[in-house]
Amino acid sequence: GEDVEQSLFLSVREGDSSVINCTYTDSSSTYLYWYKQEPGAGLQLLTYIFSNMDMKQDQRLTVLLNKKDKHLSLRIADTQTGDSAIYFCAELAGGFKTIFGAGTRLFVKA
Amino acid sequence: GAGVSQSPSNKVTEKGKDVELRCDPISGHTALYWYRQSLGQGLEFLIYFQGNSAPDKSGLPSDRFSAERTGGSVSTLTIQRTQQEDSAVYLCASSPRQGLDTEAFFGQGTRLTVV
């Protein structure tokens, strides 16, 4: 079946790197996404990776995709207190349906 | 409007009453999703509409929940005989289904409180 799993909480110290992990089940997924929800705001697309890529880097963000293990990760370098938010992993599964994980709440301690 | 619009933004209802939540997706978006977000449960998928296809209702938690989408645009999520555990933020998202353009755009949500 379709499922995207991620841990619910992550706590890091300011300046450290954060790594948020996600596993998905649909091997035919073409796109994998990371969405961010800041406090009191809606979800917004943060970054995405196409399934034929292993890595994508965008400033402080690095997305790693292990298609064999169906594992996706988001690394945030030099994490700041402003990065505190909920991060959602999502996959574009068969039938163009986007499946979201439950979200990982990132706490950044000053 | 430019984005996904949901109404009301907040709703307080008494246990046992029915409620209707409305979503106006971005014009031209063929896909529409309803999710429920609660602190302990994260984001839960409820229902997915894609064009004229039969909706994917696999996430609806009970038969008290139903949703419809009229004319391929506006959607209404109805919760009958509300219970306290229905309290959550209900999020709607829409997405175009055109080639590689698949980003989902979310509304601000309706915060439902059942007292």
Side-chain angles (χ1 to χ4, degrees), chain A residues 70-107:
Chain A
K70 300 190 190 72
H71 183 267
L72 182 74
S73 67
L74 174 69
R75 179 176 181 270
I76 306 172
D78 187 25
T79 313
Q80 303 298 307
T81 53
D83 295 324
S84 294
I86 306 175
Y87 292 82
F88 296 87
C89 172
E91 62 170 337
L92 184 66
F96 277 87
K97 179 182 171 185
T98 305
I99 312 292
F100 283 82
T104 298
R105 188 177 291 268
L106 176 64
F107 295 95

Side-chain angles (χ1 to χ4, degrees), chain A residues 33 35 37 97-98 100 102, chain B residues 33 35 37 39 43 56 102 104:
Chain A
Y33 309 89
Y35 282 75
Q37 184 182 32
K97 179 182 171 185
T98 305
F100 283 82
Chain B
Y33 305 78
Y35 294 89
Q37 185 176 27
L39 189 60
L43 194 66
D56 177 350
T102 58

Side-chain angles (χ1 to χ4, degrees), chain B residues 24-81:
Chain B
D24 282 273
I26 293 173
S27 178
H29 282 193
T30 57
L32 187 146
Y33 305 78
W34 281 99
Y35 294 89
R36 179 168 69 175
Q37 185 176 27
S38 54
L39 189 60
Q41 301 295 325
L43 194 66
E44 296 176 75
F45 166 75
L46 297 177
I47 189 168
Y48 165 61
F49 295 90
Q50 177 56 270
N52 294 322
S53 303
D56 177 350
K57 303 180 183 180
S58 60
L60 295 178
S62 77
D63 58 9
R64 296 187 296 105
F65 288 72
S66 63
E68 60 179 26
R69 189 178 184 192
T70 54
S73 181
V74 172
S75 177
T76 303
L77 176 69
T78 302
I79 309 173
Q80 296 177 309
R81 305 181 302 282

